Amino acid sequence: YEETEDGKKLPNRDIMCGYTLLHGNVLPELVIRDEDDKSIGTNPDAIAAIKKELYAGRGVSIRFYADQSLPGQELSKHGYMNQKTWAHYTYKDEHVTHGVCIVGWDDSISKDMFNSDPTKQPPADGAWIVKNSWGSETEYTTSTSGQTIGYKDWGIVNDEGKPTGYFYLSYYDKSIDSPESMEFGTDFAQYADKLMVYAHDYMPSTEDWSNTQPDTLKTANVFTNET
């Protein structure tokens, strides 16, 4: 907020981005699919590409079918997640439901960790180490309104027995989709004079969703580039 001469506080609508995208890489798909979009295998080149990005210090975002929508919810009837080992393997074709970030890998994770039923185990060992957006007892925060962001009590436990929000995801999971890596610059000072973003997006919708008024509302921001 900005304070005016008469003491009133008005919202400052000048928005300045704090990061800039340095690198963005769309990686090969892990799941090989047939013409009917059914999974028929795993792409070894994709595994190698993801490992290369991780080795370079970049996390890899993916979409996949999560066995839960939130911590504490009952697992699906298929049992894709083994909560004793926190190892997840979607052994059937499923639509994606969640986004997470791959932060590492472990070739030694046994396929036996995923499911006790041999028919529902991955074809081989190996798993991604994945950070979920919720589940950590050590890496969550509380908003100014008191809302807990990040949740807790989910995922692999650390040496102190606290849930971390991390889990294992088989290389051969049949739902993994859209692997991408991104790297952002955080030293904003060197870009500040070039990346000012003036965006007063406090505008009404371009459509009246309630259908109570016949007219469509339209507004626009007009900016002048002085550089």
Side-chain angles (χ1 to χ4, degrees), residues 3 11 23 35 52 60 65 77 88 95 112 132 149 165 171 188 200 211 214 216:
E3 188 168 337
H23 301 285
E35 58 185 11
K52 182 178 179 180
V60 176
Y65 179 86
K77 63 181 180 180
H88 188 288
H95 295 294
D112 297 330
N132 207 338
I149 303 173
Y171 292 156
F188 189 71
H200 306 321
N211 293 320
T216 297

PDB file of all heavy atoms in Angstrom, residues 3 11 23 35 52 60 65 77 88 95 112 132 149 165 171 188 200 211 214 216:
ATOM      1  N   GLU A   3       0.729   5.419   1.027  1.00  0.00           N
ATOM      2  CA  GLU A   3      -0.027   6.379   1.832  1.00  0.00           C
ATOM      3  C   GLU A   3      -0.052   7.727   1.125  1.00  0.00           C
ATOM      4  O   GLU A   3       0.988   8.258   0.713  1.00  0.00           O
ATOM      5  CB  GLU A   3       0.602   6.517   3.222  1.00  0.00           C
ATOM      6  CG  GLU A   3      -0.236   7.348   4.177  1.00  0.00           C
ATOM      7  CD  GLU A   3       0.262   7.233   5.601  1.00  0.00           C
ATOM      8  OE1 GLU A   3       0.922   6.230   5.929  1.00  0.00           O
ATOM      9  OE2 GLU A   3      -0.020   8.158   6.375  1.00  0.00           O
ATOM     10  N   PRO A  11      -3.975   0.870  -2.533  1.00  0.00           N
ATOM     11  CA  PRO A  11      -3.160  -0.253  -3.005  1.00  0.00           C
ATOM     12  C   PRO A  11      -2.218   0.182  -4.117  1.00  0.00           C
ATOM     13  O   PRO A  11      -2.587   0.939  -5.012  1.00  0.00           O
ATOM     14  CB  PRO A  11      -4.194  -1.264  -3.517  1.00  0.00           C
ATOM     15  CG  PRO A  11      -5.390  -0.445  -3.840  1.00  0.00           C
ATOM     16  CD  PRO A  11      -5.399   0.682  -2.845  1.00  0.00           C
ATOM     17  N   HIS A  23      16.321 -20.466 -18.241  1.00  0.00           N
ATOM     18  CA  HIS A  23      16.286 -21.653 -19.102  1.00  0.00           C
ATOM     19  C   HIS A  23      14.959 -22.380 -18.903  1.00  0.00           C
ATOM     20  O   HIS A  23      14.479 -22.510 -17.787  1.00  0.00           O
ATOM     21  CB  HIS A  23      17.430 -22.629 -18.777  1.00  0.00           C
ATOM     22  CG  HIS A  23      18.794 -22.039 -18.919  1.00  0.00           C
ATOM     23  ND1 HIS A  23      19.383 -21.817 -20.132  1.00  0.00           N
ATOM     24  CD2 HIS A  23      19.678 -21.610 -17.993  1.00  0.00           C
ATOM     25  CE1 HIS A  23      20.575 -21.286 -19.958  1.00  0.00           C
ATOM     26  NE2 HIS A  23      20.778 -21.141 -18.662  1.00  0.00           N
ATOM     27  N   GLU A  35      -1.064 -45.562 -30.805  1.00  0.00           N
ATOM     28  CA  GLU A  35      -1.971 -44.639 -31.492  1.00  0.00           C
ATOM     29  C   GLU A  35      -3.274 -44.432 -30.732  1.00  0.00           C
ATOM     30  O   GLU A  35      -3.999 -43.463 -30.964  1.00  0.00           O
ATOM     31  CB  GLU A  35      -2.268 -45.160 -32.893  1.00  0.00           C
ATOM     32  CG  GLU A  35      -2.872 -46.551 -32.923  1.00  0.00           C
ATOM     33  CD  GLU A  35      -3.049 -47.090 -34.332  1.00  0.00           C
ATOM     34  OE1 GLU A  35      -2.516 -46.474 -35.274  1.00  0.00           O
ATOM     35  OE2 GLU A  35      -3.730 -48.118 -34.467  1.00  0.00           O
ATOM     36  N   LYS A  52      20.065 -35.879 -16.664  1.00  0.00           N
ATOM     37  CA  LYS A  52      21.006 -34.837 -17.082  1.00  0.00           C
ATOM     38  C   LYS A  52      20.600 -33.482 -16.519  1.00  0.00           C
ATOM     39  O   LYS A  52      21.440 -32.706 -16.047  1.00  0.00           O
ATOM     40  CB  LYS A  52      21.071 -34.777 -18.611  1.00  0.00           C
ATOM     41  CG  LYS A  52      22.068 -33.762 -19.144  1.00  0.00           C
ATOM     42  CD  LYS A  52      22.132 -33.791 -20.660  1.00  0.00           C
ATOM     43  CE  LYS A  52      23.121 -32.765 -21.200  1.00  0.00           C
ATOM     44  NZ  LYS A  52      23.176 -32.799 -22.681  1.00  0.00           N
ATOM     45  N   VAL A  60      12.806 -31.072 -12.160  1.00  0.00           N
ATOM     46  CA  VAL A  60      11.988 -31.378 -13.344  1.00  0.00           C
ATOM     47  C   VAL A  60      10.528 -31.505 -12.911  1.00  0.00           C
ATOM     48  O   VAL A  60      10.180 -32.384 -12.116  1.00  0.00           O
ATOM     49  CB  VAL A  60      12.461 -32.676 -14.028  1.00  0.00           C
ATOM     50  CG1 VAL A  60      11.544 -33.030 -15.198  1.00  0.00           C
ATOM     51  CG2 VAL A  60      13.898 -32.525 -14.503  1.00  0.00           C
ATOM     52  N   TYR A  65      -0.668 -39.339 -12.073  1.00  0.00           N
ATOM     53  CA  TYR A  65      -1.893 -39.696 -11.367  1.00  0.00           C
ATOM     54  C   TYR A  65      -1.548 -39.940  -9.895  1.00  0.00           C
ATOM     55  O   TYR A  65      -0.827 -40.881  -9.553  1.00  0.00           O
ATOM     56  CB  TYR A  65      -2.529 -40.956 -11.954  1.00  0.00           C
ATOM     57  CG  TYR A  65      -3.790 -41.371 -11.224  1.00  0.00           C
ATOM     58  CD1 TYR A  65      -5.023 -40.835 -11.576  1.00  0.00           C
ATOM     59  CD2 TYR A  65      -3.741 -42.271 -10.165  1.00  0.00           C
ATOM     60  CE1 TYR A  65      -6.179 -41.192 -10.900  1.00  0.00           C
ATOM     61  CE2 TYR A  65      -4.889 -42.636  -9.474  1.00  0.00           C
ATOM     62  CZ  TYR A  65      -6.102 -42.083  -9.846  1.00  0.00           C
ATOM     63  OH  TYR A  65      -7.247 -42.436  -9.157  1.00  0.00           O
ATOM     64  N   LYS A  77      -8.582 -47.454  -4.671  1.00  0.00           N
ATOM     65  CA  LYS A  77      -8.740 -48.909  -4.569  1.00  0.00           C
ATOM     66  C   LYS A  77      -7.626 -49.654  -5.285  1.00  0.00           C
ATOM     67  O   LYS A  77      -7.396 -50.842  -5.029  1.00  0.00           O
ATOM     68  CB  LYS A  77     -10.091 -49.321  -5.142  1.00  0.00           C
ATOM     69  CG  LYS A  77     -10.251 -49.007  -6.625  1.00  0.00           C
ATOM     70  CD  LYS A  77     -11.611 -49.414  -7.142  1.00  0.00           C
ATOM     71  CE  LYS A  77     -11.767 -49.100  -8.629  1.00  0.00           C
ATOM     72  NZ  LYS A  77     -13.119 -49.495  -9.133  1.00  0.00           N
ATOM     73  N   HIS A  88       5.505 -45.029  -5.141  1.00  0.00           N
ATOM     74  CA  HIS A  88       4.307 -44.929  -5.966  1.00  0.00           C
ATOM     75  C   HIS A  88       4.564 -45.491  -7.361  1.00  0.00           C
ATOM     76  O   HIS A  88       5.551 -45.166  -8.002  1.00  0.00           O
ATOM     77  CB  HIS A  88       3.899 -43.453  -6.063  1.00  0.00           C
ATOM     78  CG  HIS A  88       2.574 -43.217  -6.731  1.00  0.00           C
ATOM     79  ND1 HIS A  88       2.380 -43.375  -8.087  1.00  0.00           N
ATOM     80  CD2 HIS A  88       1.366 -42.821  -6.232  1.00  0.00           C
ATOM     81  CE1 HIS A  88       1.130 -43.085  -8.391  1.00  0.00           C
ATOM     82  NE2 HIS A  88       0.487 -42.754  -7.289  1.00  0.00           N
ATOM     83  N   HIS A  95      -5.524 -40.880 -16.109  1.00  0.00           N
ATOM     84  CA  HIS A  95      -5.380 -39.466 -16.436  1.00  0.00           C
ATOM     85  C   HIS A  95      -4.587 -38.767 -15.328  1.00  0.00           C
ATOM     86  O   HIS A  95      -4.685 -39.136 -14.157  1.00  0.00           O
ATOM     87  CB  HIS A  95      -6.743 -38.798 -16.581  1.00  0.00           C
ATOM     88  CG  HIS A  95      -7.549 -39.318 -17.736  1.00  0.00           C
ATOM     89  ND1 HIS A  95      -7.165 -39.140 -19.042  1.00  0.00           N
ATOM     90  CD2 HIS A  95      -8.704 -40.025 -17.776  1.00  0.00           C
ATOM     91  CE1 HIS A  95      -8.051 -39.696 -19.850  1.00  0.00           C
ATOM     92  NE2 HIS A  95      -8.995 -40.252 -19.108  1.00  0.00           N
ATOM     93  N   ASP A 112      10.212 -54.241  -5.521  1.00  0.00           N
ATOM     94  CA  ASP A 112       9.411 -54.850  -4.465  1.00  0.00           C
ATOM     95  C   ASP A 112       8.860 -53.817  -3.487  1.00  0.00           C
ATOM     96  O   ASP A 112       7.927 -54.105  -2.731  1.00  0.00           O
ATOM     97  CB  ASP A 112      10.244 -55.874  -3.694  1.00  0.00           C
ATOM     98  CG  ASP A 112      10.695 -57.042  -4.565  1.00  0.00           C
ATOM     99  OD1 ASP A 112       9.969 -57.376  -5.520  1.00  0.00           O
ATOM    100  OD2 ASP A 112      11.772 -57.607  -4.301  1.00  0.00           O
ATOM    101  N   ASN A 132       6.679 -33.355  -3.195  1.00  0.00           N
ATOM    102  CA  ASN A 132       5.276 -32.999  -3.354  1.00  0.00           C
ATOM    103  C   ASN A 132       5.070 -31.568  -2.881  1.00  0.00           C
ATOM    104  O   ASN A 132       5.916 -31.002  -2.184  1.00  0.00           O
ATOM    105  CB  ASN A 132       4.398 -33.952  -2.544  1.00  0.00           C
ATOM    106  CG  ASN A 132       3.010 -34.093  -3.117  1.00  0.00           C
ATOM    107  OD1 ASN A 132       2.530 -33.235  -3.840  1.00  0.00           O
ATOM    108  ND2 ASN A 132       2.342 -35.190  -2.787  1.00  0.00           N
ATOM    109  N   ILE A 149       0.065 -23.595   4.782  1.00  0.00           N
ATOM    110  CA  ILE A 149       0.385 -23.826   3.382  1.00  0.00           C
ATOM    111  C   ILE A 149       1.477 -24.888   3.304  1.00  0.00           C
ATOM    112  O   ILE A 149       2.551 -24.721   3.849  1.00  0.00           O
ATOM    113  CB  ILE A 149       0.861 -22.537   2.695  1.00  0.00           C
ATOM    114  CG1 ILE A 149      -0.202 -21.443   2.820  1.00  0.00           C
ATOM    115  CG2 ILE A 149       1.208 -22.794   1.238  1.00  0.00           C
ATOM    116  CD1 ILE A 149       0.246 -20.100   2.318  1.00  0.00           C
ATOM    117  N   GLY A 165       7.472 -34.840   2.933  1.00  0.00           N
ATOM    118  CA  GLY A 165       6.778 -34.477   1.707  1.00  0.00           C
ATOM    119  C   GLY A 165       7.390 -35.074   0.454  1.00  0.00           C
ATOM    120  O   GLY A 165       6.884 -34.879  -0.642  1.00  0.00           O
ATOM    121  N   TYR A 171      10.411 -45.229 -12.232  1.00  0.00           N
ATOM    122  CA  TYR A 171      10.763 -44.807 -13.587  1.00  0.00           C
ATOM    123  C   TYR A 171       9.685 -45.234 -14.590  1.00  0.00           C
ATOM    124  O   TYR A 171       9.502 -44.592 -15.618  1.00  0.00           O
ATOM    125  CB  TYR A 171      12.073 -45.468 -14.035  1.00  0.00           C
ATOM    126  CG  TYR A 171      13.322 -45.037 -13.310  1.00  0.00           C
ATOM    127  CD1 TYR A 171      14.437 -45.887 -13.257  1.00  0.00           C
ATOM    128  CD2 TYR A 171      13.441 -43.794 -12.702  1.00  0.00           C
ATOM    129  CE1 TYR A 171      15.603 -45.509 -12.629  1.00  0.00           C
ATOM    130  CE2 TYR A 171      14.604 -43.413 -12.060  1.00  0.00           C
ATOM    131  CZ  TYR A 171      15.691 -44.277 -12.022  1.00  0.00           C
ATOM    132  OH  TYR A 171      16.858 -43.908 -11.394  1.00  0.00           O
ATOM    133  N   PHE A 188      17.872 -10.135  -9.087  1.00  0.00           N
ATOM    134  CA  PHE A 188      17.001  -9.272  -9.882  1.00  0.00           C
ATOM    135  C   PHE A 188      17.585  -7.888 -10.127  1.00  0.00           C
ATOM    136  O   PHE A 188      17.193  -7.192 -11.055  1.00  0.00           O
ATOM    137  CB  PHE A 188      15.635  -9.141  -9.206  1.00  0.00           C
ATOM    138  CG  PHE A 188      14.608  -8.457 -10.062  1.00  0.00           C
ATOM    139  CD1 PHE A 188      14.073  -9.092 -11.172  1.00  0.00           C
ATOM    140  CD2 PHE A 188      14.201  -7.173  -9.771  1.00  0.00           C
ATOM    141  CE1 PHE A 188      13.141  -8.461 -11.970  1.00  0.00           C
ATOM    142  CE2 PHE A 188      13.256  -6.534 -10.565  1.00  0.00           C
ATOM    143  CZ  PHE A 188      12.726  -7.181 -11.668  1.00  0.00           C
ATOM    144  N   HIS A 200      -2.065  -3.271 -14.163  1.00  0.00           N
ATOM    145  CA  HIS A 200      -3.173  -2.967 -13.256  1.00  0.00           C
ATOM    146  C   HIS A 200      -4.334  -3.908 -13.577  1.00  0.00           C
ATOM    147  O   HIS A 200      -5.292  -3.522 -14.228  1.00  0.00           O
ATOM    148  CB  HIS A 200      -3.607  -1.515 -13.405  1.00  0.00           C
ATOM    149  CG  HIS A 200      -2.498  -0.523 -13.254  1.00  0.00           C
ATOM    150  ND1 HIS A 200      -1.501  -0.654 -12.327  1.00  0.00           N
ATOM    151  CD2 HIS A 200      -2.232   0.626 -13.949  1.00  0.00           C
ATOM    152  CE1 HIS A 200      -0.668   0.371 -12.418  1.00  0.00           C
ATOM    153  NE2 HIS A 200      -1.074   1.156 -13.405  1.00  0.00           N
ATOM    154  N   ASN A 211     -25.281 -14.073 -15.753  1.00  0.00           N
ATOM    155  CA  ASN A 211     -26.337 -13.923 -16.766  1.00  0.00           C
ATOM    156  C   ASN A 211     -27.486 -13.044 -16.289  1.00  0.00           C
ATOM    157  O   ASN A 211     -28.614 -13.169 -16.747  1.00  0.00           O
ATOM    158  CB  ASN A 211     -26.891 -15.291 -17.185  1.00  0.00           C
ATOM    159  CG  ASN A 211     -25.863 -16.114 -17.930  1.00  0.00           C
ATOM    160  OD1 ASN A 211     -25.116 -15.576 -18.745  1.00  0.00           O
ATOM    161  ND2 ASN A 211     -25.815 -17.401 -17.633  1.00  0.00           N
ATOM    162  N   PRO A 214     -27.663  -8.130 -19.543  1.00  0.00           N
ATOM    163  CA  PRO A 214     -27.524  -8.479 -20.957  1.00  0.00           C
ATOM    164  C   PRO A 214     -26.229  -7.980 -21.588  1.00  0.00           C
ATOM    165  O   PRO A 214     -25.792  -8.499 -22.612  1.00  0.00           O
ATOM    166  CB  PRO A 214     -28.730  -7.803 -21.603  1.00  0.00           C
ATOM    167  CG  PRO A 214     -28.998  -6.626 -20.715  1.00  0.00           C
ATOM    168  CD  PRO A 214     -28.670  -7.087 -19.321  1.00  0.00           C
ATOM    169  N   THR A 216     -22.206  -7.087 -22.086  1.00  0.00           N
ATOM    170  CA  THR A 216     -20.880  -7.598 -21.762  1.00  0.00           C
ATOM    171  C   THR A 216     -19.986  -6.450 -21.324  1.00  0.00           C
ATOM    172  O   THR A 216     -19.968  -5.391 -21.944  1.00  0.00           O
ATOM    173  CB  THR A 216     -20.251  -8.286 -22.991  1.00  0.00           C
ATOM    174  OG1 THR A 216     -21.043  -9.405 -23.349  1.00  0.00           O
ATOM    175  CG2 THR A 216     -18.839  -8.758 -22.687  1.00  0.00           C
TER     176      THR A 216
END
